[in-house]
Amino acid sequence: MRTSASSRCFSQRQRDSSLSDSELQEAFARGALKPGLNVVLEEQPKRRNDVAGLRQCLAEFKRQLAWVERLDVTSGQVADPTSQSASDKDAVDAENDFQREMSFYRQAQAAVLEALPKLRKLQVPTRRPDDYFAEMAKSDQQMQKIRQKLKSKQEAMERSEKAKQLRAMRKYGKKVQTEILQRRQKEKKNMLNAVKKYQKGLSDKLDFLDEEQTSSQGNKKGSASQRIKKGPNAKRRYKNQKFGFGGKKKGSKWNTKESFNDVSSFRSKVAHNKGPGKAGKGGKKALNKRPGKRARQKMKSRAR
Amino acid sequence: MAAGKRQREGPTVRPRKRAKKAPSAPEPDATPAPEEYSIPPPVSQGKWKNKERVLIFSSRGINFRARHLMQDLRTLMPHSKADTKMDRKDQLFVINEVCEMKNCNKCIFFEAKKKQDLYMWLSNIPQGPSAKFLVQNVHTLAELKMTGNCLRGSRPLLSFDPAFDKEPHYALLKELFIQIFSTPQYHPKSQPFVDHVFTFTITDERIWFRNYQIIEEDASLVEIGPRFVLNLIKIFQGSFGGPTLYENPHYQSPNMHRRLIRLSVAAKFREKQQVKEVQKLKKTGSKVLMEEDPTEVVFETPAEEKPVEIQLVKPESKPIVKDKKKLRKIQRKKQKKLFRTEASA
């Protein structure tokens, strides 16, 4: 029988409502019982919805005020010219953040478009002149923070964009490089083939040598001229700068009037052992490791 | 709290000051200028008729986010008043008396429970109705995402979803929202401009609140904040009590929600554990010996018996070859030789 297979829940119900076996059998005959676990469906308690009461309450509670006092607008969304499907109210997906916010935005837009002419008619100003200064909802500090955040965001975007471009460029450069290498290999191969042919006596033309030579020589010349233009390499240049190359060396390390008067490297914050980490007198004490003259002399005599 | 006390005294002093100031320093641009954006006369020169006042305060135990939201509402609504946090949670009808003492006829009361759930009561004070909401997804003015700004105390436009007119309980809520959130014209603390919009939208059986700044006349907007979602629980006929007019069937209490989540996690864990146990049993349990089935051999036919052969002669032993290919090589060599000799001959 079905009852034997039914769940504990069911048996409990059986006890509660004193369902007899015969009743269950009837239910089974009707097809009300399905094979498997039979769980009692909990009936949802009836939620109260007193429509008449609500209406009456609204009628009592409503205040007849001019629209200027209330400034309320009930309107649908502005029809979006780009997407027709999203303009449907039913299509708005609450889980889709962007779509949902867009629907709110468009509703606000519709309200503004409806209300602004009305306000203008009633001579309520909607735009504050640029020289009207008053306290704002968000402080200047807060707005500054917001601006900074926007800026940093934009910068980050730009940076990533640049990096992307660079990556693409590098990829392209690699491609070009391989192409060049392949071309060179091919040229070499051709050349070798031609040489072989000449050696075997299949052809007695030597012009392939000429053109190769001219082209390669031209290249070499170009590179040589470039080298001349560039000057010595970086290491040499650095060494020249460090140890001097050419010119008079004598007296070059002496002070001149200009160097003497130049105090740009003097940093008052760091000078006189005022390191960045040490502040005030404590720092001074820690720094003054060398004992005084008396103390030193005493130490010396003691050591003797 | 000291701050609360100060604020309590504030509103009583301020209007007097304003009143004094207004006649002594009349605005120079009071006459309507012909240019497009003229400075309007100060609000103190108009007649302030709608004496709506909203008390905004909370119970004890609200978290920082709720507190910030409350502060934001106070800054955005110049017709609001503040009070100290309420101690008792059980007797909400005391709020009616508090509001009466503060001269307010509307109230926004934030009720915090368990340090995490925030409920909001909106009420019309002397005779109701009142509504209780669960507040979800709170974002405050202090967040850096929302870039708009508006004058402190300027009057908002209120934009409502058309769904507010379709059902009676939403209609009631709309009226309540209008009366609470619209700033009265010529309120002494308000600004003479309308430069932001509050939107109330019904999506997903909830009411979503947004605040946008009006930037241009062609209705380009920027969000100011705060934003929150109101999940309606009940509407009562009285103020903080009385018979229930409406009960939201889609509402699920946060406790219930958390419990369901916990249960589902537990069920998943239990299922995994059971599967593990079953696998363990399978591994360790000895293999059950199958009893011999008599029907198994039904189709087996007995094979014919072959006579047993006995090999009497010793099998020929294979020659042991070290290089297996050697023989073949030798053969090939021989053949080649033969071929050559034939060719030469």
Side-chain angles (χ1 to χ4, degrees):
Chain A
M1 241 201 78
R2 197 66 274 146
T3 44
S4 61
S6 58
S7 67
R8 225 180 93 221
C9 187
F10 195 87
S11 66
Q12 221 166 21
R13 189 197 160 184
Q14 201 178 341
R15 228 175 294 137
D16 290 345
S17 58
S18 65
L19 263 179
S20 63
D21 268 7
S22 61
E23 273 177 58
L24 278 174
Q25 276 168 354
E26 271 173 29
F28 182 58
R30 275 204 311 274
L33 291 184
K34 300 246 165 64
L37 290 181
N38 280 304
V39 181
V40 185
L41 272 178
E42 259 184 55
E43 271 183 32
Q44 288 268 329
K46 186 79 177 128
R47 300 290 184 164
R48 194 182 285 269
N49 188 2
D50 186 1
V51 175
L54 283 168
R55 292 230 165 90
Q56 194 200 340
C57 191
L58 177 60
E60 282 174 10
F61 162 61
K62 198 156 192 164
R63 295 184 62 188
Q64 296 302 328
L65 289 169
W67 184 80
V68 203
E69 288 287 354
R70 295 158 65 95
L71 293 181
D72 65 310
V73 181
T74 305
S75 58
Q77 297 165 13
V78 175
D80 191 4
T82 52
S83 65
Q84 287 298 317
S85 61
S87 60
D88 257 325
K89 183 74 188 79
D90 297 352
V92 171
D93 179 16
E95 300 298 322
N96 185 345
D97 283 1
F98 185 73
Q99 202 181 33
R100 191 190 60 219
E101 293 301 323
M102 206 59 215
S103 79
F104 297 156
Y105 181 83
R106 283 216 303 279
Q107 186 201 321
Q109 262 187 334
V112 168
L113 285 177
E114 198 179 321
L116 281 187
K118 270 192 199 175
L119 285 172
R120 213 165 294 142
K121 208 179 280 171
L122 291 163
Q123 292 186 330
V124 176
T126 55
R127 200 177 143 141
R128 142 180 92 97
D130 294 330
D131 56 349
Y132 185 93
F133 291 109
E135 199 178 355
M136 305 292 278
K138 289 179 187 170
S139 62
D140 286 347
Q141 232 175 344
Q142 172 80 357
M143 290 312 282
Q144 198 66 35
K145 262 191 204 168
I146 289 171
R147 235 165 274 144
Q148 252 168 18
K149 199 196 173 192
L150 277 181
K151 207 171 141 195
S152 68
K153 211 172 181 181
Q154 203 177 359
E155 270 169 11
M157 288 258 280
E158 266 170 22
R159 233 177 293 138
S160 79
E161 196 73 13
K162 225 178 218 172
K164 237 182 231 169
Q165 247 174 16
L166 214 84
R167 239 172 283 144
M169 288 266 283
R170 213 174 285 155
K171 225 175 191 177
Y172 179 72
K174 233 178 201 173
K175 213 167 120 193
V176 169
Q177 187 73 21
T178 50
E179 257 171 31
I180 286 173
L181 281 177
Q182 275 172 354
R183 211 183 60 216
R184 270 191 203 153
Q185 217 133 24
K186 208 170 158 190
E187 266 173 23
K188 197 176 170 187
K189 209 169 157 191
N190 283 346
M191 170 89 165
L192 282 178
N193 275 345
V195 168
K196 232 179 203 172
K197 268 185 191 170
Y198 180 76
Q199 275 178 345
K200 283 190 178 173
L202 290 173
S203 74
D204 50 351
K205 284 181 229 163
L206 268 172
D207 42 353
F208 65 89
L209 270 178
D210 289 355
E211 66 182 52
E212 284 301 311
Q213 252 169 4
T214 50
S215 66
S216 64
Q217 262 175 0
N219 274 345
K220 249 177 204 169
K221 258 179 198 168
S223 63
S225 66
Q226 269 173 1
R227 210 170 285 159
I228 288 160
K229 247 182 215 168
K230 245 190 215 166
N233 60 5
K235 191 177 172 187
R236 187 68 254 163
R237 250 180 290 151
Y238 173 69
K239 282 196 168 174
N240 284 348
Q241 184 228 323
K242 190 175 177 186
F243 304 111
F245 176 74
K248 189 182 169 190
K249 275 140 203 137
K250 193 177 179 188
S252 64
K253 291 192 174 180
W254 291 6
N255 271 347
T256 59
K257 204 175 194 177
E258 285 81 47
S259 77
F260 176 75
N261 286 328
D262 180 25
V263 285
S264 62
S265 62
F266 178 79
R267 283 184 294 160
S268 60
K269 277 194 180 162
V270 187
H272 307 307
N273 290 335
K274 281 183 288 181
K278 307 133 197 165
K281 284 173 184 173
K284 222 172 190 178
K285 223 175 213 175
L287 270 176
N288 210 0
K289 272 176 197 165
R290 185 174 148 109
K293 191 166 188 178
R294 277 276 169 79
R296 288 205 312 271
Q297 276 173 345
K298 258 186 195 170
M299 275 192 328
K300 221 173 184 181
S301 63
R302 215 177 286 156
R304 232 179 261 166
Chain B
M1 263 175 78
K5 264 180 198 167
R6 222 189 314 125
Q7 272 172 342
R8 200 181 284 183
E9 283 167 5
T12 55
V13 178
R14 255 197 201 158
R16 235 181 285 149
K17 259 190 194 168
R18 285 266 174 166
K20 247 186 232 169
K21 226 184 209 173
S24 64
E27 199 77 6
D29 284 36
T31 52
E35 55 184 313
E36 202 177 343
Y37 308 120
S38 57
I39 296 173
V43 285
S44 58
Q45 288 194 347
K47 181 88 176 73
W48 173 31
K49 278 180 270 182
N50 181 12
K51 300 284 171 78
E52 201 85 63
R53 289 187 201 87
V54 182
L55 187 67
I56 302 179
F57 71 124
S58 74
S59 71
R60 278 182 59 187
I62 59 170
N63 56 11
F64 72 96
R65 199 180 280 274
R67 195 178 66 239
H68 278 254
L69 176 67
M70 197 168 68
Q71 290 296 347
D72 295 345
L73 285 182
R74 281 177 190 158
T75 58
L76 287 173
M77 293 159 63
H79 59 299
S80 69
K81 287 192 174 189
D83 197 11
T84 49
K85 289 175 190 165
M86 210 181 63
D87 247 332
R88 271 176 297 182
K89 284 188 178 175
D90 45 343
Q91 293 163 309
L92 286 178
F93 55 83
V94 180
I95 295 170
N96 291 333
E97 286 163 33
V98 173
C99 287
E100 216 163 285
M101 282 198 298
K102 301 284 286 186
N103 248 342
C104 294
N105 49 1
K106 295 281 180 307
C107 180
I108 300 177
F109 178 65
F110 289 96
E111 192 180 5
K113 278 185 182 164
K114 289 190 159 190
K115 303 250 176 201
Q116 50 185 353
D117 305 324
L118 183 67
Y119 299 92
M120 184 199 261
W121 283 86
L122 297 180
S123 171
N124 177 31
I125 278 307
Q127 62 273 60
S130 59
K132 189 185 183 185
F133 301 92
L134 175 70
V135 186
Q136 297 167 313
N137 292 2
V138 176
H139 296 262
T140 63
L141 271 181
E143 283 175 34
L144 300 181
K145 267 195 300 192
M146 298 181 268
T147 55
N149 201 355
C150 65
L151 283 171
R152 192 189 180 114
S154 62
R155 303 179 57 214
L157 274 177
L158 302 178
S159 156
F160 288 93
D161 197 327
F164 271 101
D165 290 336
K166 278 174 191 150
E167 290 188 60
H169 61 275
Y170 280 138
L172 189 71
L173 285 182
K174 182 183 165 189
E175 183 62 27
L176 200 59
F177 284 141
I178 290 173
Q179 292 196 12
I180 288 179
F181 284 100
S182 71
T183 303
Q185 204 183 10
Y186 301 125
H187 188 279
K189 276 198 260 176
S190 70
Q191 296 284 349
F193 300 100
V194 175
D195 64 351
H196 60 131
V197 196
F198 288 164
T199 59
F200 297 88
T201 317
I202 297 171
T203 305
D204 195 23
E205 314 291 343
R206 290 168 174 82
I207 299 165
W208 301 66
F209 175 92
R210 294 288 183 271
N211 179 15
Y212 295 101
Q213 178 191 3
I214 305 169
I215 291 190
E216 295 287 337
E217 301 291 292
D218 62 340
S220 66
L221 309 171
V222 174
E223 187 165 1
I224 302 171
R227 48 161 82 162
F228 51 86
V229 181
L230 296 175
N231 195 353
L232 178 64
I233 302 169
K234 271 182 187 180
I235 299 177
F236 299 99
Q237 198 169 18
S239 168
F240 293 101
T244 309
L245 285 178
Y246 179 80
E247 206 174 344
N248 187 5
H250 306 285
Y251 170 73
Q252 187 187 39
S253 78
N255 278 339
M256 193 65 190
H257 182 68
R258 281 192 288 264
R259 183 168 161 254
L260 285 180
I261 287 174
R262 247 182 292 132
L263 279 181
S264 76
V265 169
K268 218 180 253 174
F269 176 74
R270 216 174 296 137
E271 200 174 325
K272 251 184 202 170
Q273 214 67 2
Q274 273 176 355
V275 168
K276 252 185 202 169
E277 253 170 45
V278 167
Q279 275 174 347
K280 214 176 181 183
L281 254 177
K282 262 187 191 168
K283 249 182 208 170
T284 54
S286 58
K287 278 174 190 170
V288 184
L289 283 173
M290 293 286 282
E291 278 178 44
E292 234 174 73
D293 195 357
T295 55
E296 216 165 50
V297 288
V298 165
F299 296 107
E300 274 179 19
T301 50
E304 285 173 36
E305 271 189 29
K306 281 179 185 172
V308 183
E309 275 180 29
I310 299 169
Q311 209 169 14
L312 295 171
V313 190
K314 186 188 170 192
E316 222 173 294
S317 64
K318 277 179 189 170
I320 299 163
V321 186
K322 268 187 187 170
D323 190 355
K324 280 184 182 174
K325 284 177 187 171
K326 203 171 181 181
L327 237 147
R328 184 91 184 123
K329 272 181 194 166
I330 294 163
Q331 235 173 5
R332 223 180 283 156
K333 252 184 190 172
K334 270 182 189 167
Q335 249 176 4
K336 253 186 193 170
K337 230 178 191 176
L338 213 107
F339 181 70
R340 262 183 214 161
T341 49
E342 271 179 16
S344 62

